[in-house]
Amino acid sequence: MARMTMIESIRDAHFVSMEADDAVVVFGEDVGHFGGVFRCTQGLQERFGKHRCFDAPISELGIVGAAIGMAANGLRPCVEIQFADYMYPAYDQIVSEAARIRHRSVGDFTVPMTIRMPTGGGIYGGQTHSQSPEALFTHVSGLKTVVPSTPYDAKGLLLASIEDNDPVIFLEPKRLYNGPFDGHYDRPVVPWSKHESAEVPEGHYTVPLGKAVVRRPGADVTVLAYGTMVYVALAAAEESGIDAEVIDLRTLIPLDTELIIESVKKTGRCIVVHEATRTSGFGAELAAIVQEEAFFHLEAPIRRVTGWDTPYPHAQEWDYFPGPDRVRAVMSDVMEV
Amino acid sequence: MDDSPRLKIPEPRFKPGDDPDFSGIEIPAPGDTRRPDVDAEPREMRDLADGLIRVLGDDNKATGPWQSELTATQLLKGLTDMMRVREFDRRMMAAQRQGKTSFYMQCTGEEAISCAFRTAMADTDMNFPTYRQQGLLIAHGYPLVDMMNQVYSNEEDPIKGRQLPIMYSSREHGFFTISGNLATQFIQAVGWAMAASIKGENHIAAGWIGDGATAESDFHSAMVFASTFQAPVVLNIVNNQWAISSPQSLARGRADTFAVKGIGFGIPALRVDGNDYLACHSVALWALERARRGLGPTLIEWVTYRTAAHSSSDDPSAYRPPNEAANWPLGDPIERLADHLIELGEWSIEQHQDLADQIEEEVRVAQAEAESHGTLHEGPKPTRDIFEGVYEKIPPHLQKQRDLLEGMTWRE
């Protein structure tokens, strides 16, 4: 077993799936010879040829629309949208088409495809390279939405996504590509090579869609997080001395409601954390589910720590980013209720 | 600022109250538009985007380089297909007016295009239709009763009442599930064709779009992908002059034709008399052969006229003169083919009437059978699981919602 960065483990998942199944094809902007702007598809074209890994014109609509037609014709496309922020031209194809084709045709046509896209900020990407649009997908019936937080999960979840017979949105927290970032932007980055969740087995394995995981067991408060925010929540727990239970959701749809509710019933408190803007964010859904199913176990109001309802700013990105200080402050608040 | 640039806001040629006079439209004679070799270079075919391929002349004779080799039996099959489509439309439109379904769309006047195209295709090819290509199904023998069951959303509806009437789906008959969001299917057709090529299968995809929907980005994306990857796809624009109340000039802009839009993409573009069954079949064969020989995509503009309303919800008297269809210079596809068969000595007015009677009876019987399975508001009410098929397997949150719906006491 080798330690890999998240980029390497995503690349490895591509190799494993393309080796196993000729139906898997990969395309997107710059993904061919160049291997993608983040290098997640490096070497695929060399290994599998230009008909299975190729560059697409700069048309997200075209990439997703063509992938739908391919999936309907027996292929299993795994396409890359260069940044989640560039996804919007493809949104009609995702929402009105990929998500609906199985249902509207009663299974006459299906769309087994994965749409990968780097998400989140903290890289000085400004408002067009930093967004977290997951709630735009979780709001749509027929889609599955996945957000890995470790190299191990990234490979296992990506393999599960590619093998899934429904369309999957695979959001890769780009701030985690090279190390587990905890939100302390003024400290040196810890590389994945120093982290045990970077141990990635060779060959094929999957992490099932719909299963969350407890990253830190605790008794005082349940913190629901995914992607980069998992590490922010873990840092806040360590620094505050509050015994938080940090749950990494891993997939948003399907959601592991059982694990969430079990934890909240135990701790009696719940904080929801995400980097996306607050209003109508996925955190609102999580808060609603928790109060519907565990209201009488709650000892404090459910609180959200999120990005603000502003565009992701460039120079002021750390004012936007919900870092460990903000999570810690809310943790203290809910413990005082 | 009187000298400031003024926008041009397109207007239809004629409005209600006008006497529609199409004499200003130049209609080339059969033979005026040449027939290049299938393997000609796109740059050698640019003139065709401004032409109008025709075979049937005003004298009802077939002439010129695009003459097809269809036998009298094949032509009669084409005539029967078109008449069946028109009668099917007539009955379903009446059924909608009787309240038996919510919505209907006719393709009156446009029957030749889809009937001829389907006949030129192979069984393994796939259409990505829009909503006015019922001829693709009927010309391929899809049962009329199944189509009606879909229109009625009844207990035998193949797609279980999930879609608006006429949004058929049949993989078996090479007909991709129709979307109400226009143009999305155009790029999907290109993807389907790319997949066939990647898999090493010589199967062709055909995309369909209306003149109005070419304004959508999906059209542009499809053209880029088809051209860049030289996908084995035929991209069809059905120019029926109207997008609900908007004239075709609203989407065409100052381009002379829709076909010329292919030139900038390096895609051979043909413009065809869409009310001429022989021309339609001949051009379809030409483009399909190009694709099958690995010579890449073709764009076809089918020039026709939407004789009927846009849909059962539309009232064209509000925006166009009632006799515009009658004055349309390309005539009616059924009449033109029948006249040609008569000219050939293969058909007569009596035979035509007999066929019309026979088709009327066939469609009437089909309708009775379909209605025995119910209509939108009457007849058997099967339990329909709206949660099934959203995903391959029902995830926990949907199961929970399904239990909620089933547990509601107000339900029967």
Side-chain angles (χ1 to χ4, degrees):
Chain A
M1 196 141 58
R3 287 201 172 175
M4 293 186 185
T5 68
M6 194 183 277
I7 289 167
E8 289 164 339
S9 80
I10 287 166
R11 196 187 296 154
D12 195 37
H14 281 94
F15 272 97
V16 170
S17 72
M18 291 178 81
E19 199 75 66
D21 185 355
D22 286 346
V24 178
V25 293
V26 172
F27 61 103
E29 293 152 19
D30 303 298
V31 307
H33 175 69
F34 187 53
V37 293
F38 290 103
R39 303 295 186 277
C40 289
T41 57
Q42 196 165 38
L44 296 179
Q45 187 175 78
E46 200 180 355
R47 172 82 153 268
F48 299 103
K50 287 181 182 172
H51 285 80
R52 292 190 61 204
C53 177
F54 53 89
D55 292 337
I58 302 174
S59 169
E60 290 76 16
L61 184 171
I63 291 167
V64 174
I68 290 168
M70 290 181 186
N73 194 8
L75 294 186
R76 212 168 261 284
C78 178
V79 298
E80 179 176 302
I81 301 294
Q82 200 159 71
F83 288 86
D85 318 62
Y86 301 170
M87 168 281 294
Y88 305 107
Y91 198 53
D92 186 32
Q93 288 284 350
I94 295 172
V95 175
S96 313
E97 302 296 315
R100 305 268 175 77
I101 282 169
R102 175 191 293 281
H103 192 258
R104 81 179 192 220
S105 71
V106 189
D108 197 21
F109 296 93
T110 57
V111 185
M113 61 186 279
T114 303
I115 308 174
R116 296 176 39 244
M117 48 185 101
T119 184
I123 60 149
Y124 288 103
Q127 56 187 278
T128 53
H129 301 74
S130 305
Q131 295 167 43
S132 298
E134 64 271 13
L136 298 178
F137 301 115
T138 58
H139 193 57
V140 177
S141 60
L143 299 176
K144 295 181 178 176
T145 302
V146 178
V147 192
S149 73
T150 69
Y152 176 90
D153 279 4
K155 179 177 170 184
L157 287 167
L158 184 54
L159 281 164
S161 300
I162 293 171
E163 290 163 18
D164 198 277
N165 288 328
D166 288 308
V168 179
I169 306 295
F170 196 85
L171 295 160
E172 300 166 3
K174 66 177 90 69
R175 196 61 174 79
L176 298 183
Y177 271 153
N178 290 305
F181 177 67
D182 64 7
H184 287 295
Y185 58 90
D186 47 353
R187 298 178 193 169
V189 178
V190 182
W192 279 117
S193 58
K194 297 209 161 56
H195 204 278
E196 64 185 28
S197 65
E199 296 284 348
V200 176
E202 276 182 34
H204 183 272
Y205 68 95
T206 57
V207 173
L209 307 186
K211 292 290 172 203
V213 64
V214 175
R215 293 292 179 200
R216 182 193 189 281
D220 293 342
V221 54
T222 299
V223 182
L224 304 178
Y226 48 91
T228 310
M229 289 303 121
V230 170
Y231 300 96
V232 175
L234 288 171
E238 294 314 316
E239 292 157 17
S240 65
I242 295 168
D243 190 18
E245 178 146 299
V246 177
I247 295 182
D248 177 358
L249 299 177
R250 299 202 282 200
T251 64
L252 308 186
I253 303 285
L255 182 67
D256 192 349
T257 309
E258 214 172 306
L259 186 72
I260 295 168
I261 299 305
E262 192 186 315
S263 171
V264 174
K265 284 181 177 172
K266 183 179 76 177
T267 62
R269 290 178 169 84
C270 181
I271 296 171
V272 178
V273 187
H274 60 61
E275 192 181 337
T277 49
R278 171 173 303 224
T279 303
S280 303
F282 194 66
E285 181 61 33
L286 292 169
I289 290 171
V290 169
Q291 76 82 22
E292 278 173 355
E293 305 211 6
F295 182 76
F296 294 107
H297 297 265
L298 288 171
E299 293 170 36
I302 304 161
R303 291 283 301 274
R304 288 180 286 177
V305 187
T306 68
W308 309 120
D309 289 339
T310 67
Y312 214 117
H314 176 234
Q316 308 88 341
E317 71 176 354
W318 302 114
D319 287 336
Y320 174 94
F321 188 89
D325 295 350
R326 268 158 51 189
V327 178
R328 219 166 46 232
V330 173
M331 278 181 176
S332 302
D333 279 359
V334 299
M335 293 313 295
E336 282 164 20
V337 176
Chain B
M1 302 298 279
D2 288 339
D3 59 349
S4 65
R6 300 285 292 170
L7 297 181
K8 176 183 162 62
I9 310 296
E11 293 284 343
R13 282 194 195 98
F14 309 109
K15 289 191 165 165
D18 292 347
D19 183 25
D21 175 6
F22 291 104
S23 60
I25 297 184
E26 204 180 311
I27 307 291
D32 285 359
T33 306
R34 67 193 181 90
R35 185 183 196 280
D37 291 336
V38 164
D39 59 0
E41 286 294 318
R43 76 175 73 87
E44 295 164 5
M45 295 189 259
R46 289 179 183 171
D47 54 311
L48 290 158
D50 281 317
L52 190 71
I53 296 168
R54 303 180 77 213
V55 173
L56 286 177
D58 297 337
D59 55 2
N60 301 322
K61 290 186 172 137
T63 50
W66 289 91
Q67 263 192 86
S68 72
E69 291 170 10
L70 290 171
T71 63
T73 310
Q74 288 170 314
L75 290 175
L76 194 57
K77 191 246 180 218
L79 183 68
T80 309
D81 286 342
M82 292 195 289
M83 289 169 70
R84 196 175 274 134
V85 170
R86 190 166 292 182
E87 178 62 11
F88 179 87
D89 274 355
R90 191 185 69 77
R91 282 216 161 246
M92 289 297 95
M93 188 61 205
Q96 191 278 337
R97 288 292 186 247
Q98 291 161 355
K100 291 174 180 173
T101 190
S102 58
F103 179 77
Y104 194 71
M105 300 182 99
Q106 299 169 276
C107 67
T108 316
E110 305 175 31
E111 294 91 344
I113 301 160
S114 54
C115 289
F117 197 92
R118 176 69 258 189
T119 305
M121 293 177 97
D123 281 347
T124 46
D125 297 341
M126 179 63 74
N127 283 292
F128 285 74
T130 177
Y131 48 72
R132 224 181 289 281
Q133 274 84 50
Q134 49 268 57
L136 294 173
L137 284 171
I138 290 177
H140 197 249
Y142 187 73
L144 299 185
V145 176
D146 287 349
M147 293 175 76
M148 290 169 172
N149 289 336
Q150 196 282 331
V151 170
Y152 288 144
S153 290
N154 66 18
E155 65 172 345
E156 293 294 321
D157 174 4
I159 54 169
K160 299 188 177 178
R162 288 178 186 169
Q163 282 245 67
L164 270 181
I166 70 93
M167 306 256 172
Y168 313 105
S169 173
S170 175
R171 179 185 284 275
E172 187 192 346
H173 288 271
F175 194 94
F176 190 73
T177 162
I178 297 181
S179 175
N181 287 40
L182 299 189
T184 50
Q185 72 284 352
F186 221 51
I187 175 69
Q188 293 164 5
V190 178
W192 195 98
M194 289 172 72
S197 184
I198 289 168
K199 293 194 292 179
E201 296 168 345
N202 204 341
H203 301 166
I204 311 306
W208 296 86
I209 201 167
D211 47 271
T214 60
E216 293 280 8
S217 313
D218 307 57
F219 172 78
H220 194 276
S221 298
M223 296 295 282
V224 173
F225 274 63
S227 173
T228 297
F229 299 110
Q230 290 294 287
V233 64
V234 181
L235 294 167
N236 299 290
I237 304 170
V238 179
N239 175 6
N240 68 8
Q241 314 301 319
W242 290 99
I244 306 186
S245 71
S246 303
Q248 42 93 3
S249 54
L250 200 64
R252 178 170 46 80
R254 288 305 293 272
D256 288 333
T257 68
F258 283 92
V260 296
K261 291 170 189 270
I263 292 174
F265 292 94
I267 296 178
L270 311 180
R271 196 158 169 273
V272 189
D273 175 351
N275 291 12
D276 176 345
Y277 185 90
L278 280 76
C280 292
H281 187 266
S282 185
V283 169
L285 273 183
W286 186 93
L288 288 162
E289 189 191 339
R290 247 187 86 76
R292 224 176 289 285
R293 283 173 54 181
L295 298 165
T298 305
L299 180 73
I300 306 174
E301 177 185 350
W302 307 94
V303 181
T304 184
Y305 185 86
R306 195 197 76 208
T307 302
H310 166 72
S311 75
S312 55
S313 309
D314 178 34
D315 173 17
S317 72
Y319 54 81
R320 67 182 190 187
N323 57 341
E324 208 180 77
N327 290 10
W328 178 246
L330 295 176
D332 177 81
I334 294 177
E335 287 173 20
R336 285 176 68 191
L337 183 54
D339 288 344
H340 174 59
L341 279 161
I342 290 168
E343 171 70 25
L344 289 176
E346 299 283 353
W347 201 233
S348 69
I349 296 199
E350 295 72 29
Q351 283 173 305
H352 194 76
Q353 189 55 53
D354 287 349
L355 179 61
D357 293 346
Q358 186 191 317
I359 288 170
E360 191 183 336
E361 177 63 7
E362 177 199 348
V363 178
R364 190 192 64 74
V365 169
Q367 187 180 13
E369 187 186 336
E371 290 183 6
S372 76
H373 302 299
T375 58
L376 181 59
H377 301 296
E378 287 181 3
K381 286 276 179 293
T383 309
R384 288 195 180 110
D385 188 348
I386 62 171
F387 298 97
E388 185 267 325
V390 179
Y391 297 91
E392 185 181 35
K393 298 189 189 81
I394 297 184
H397 71 291
L398 272 190
Q399 184 56 49
K400 202 164 183 180
Q401 294 171 27
R402 185 198 224 180
D403 294 344
L404 276 172
L405 178 63
E406 283 174 4
M408 285 186 172
T409 50
W410 51 264
R411 294 194 94 213
E412 288 172 342

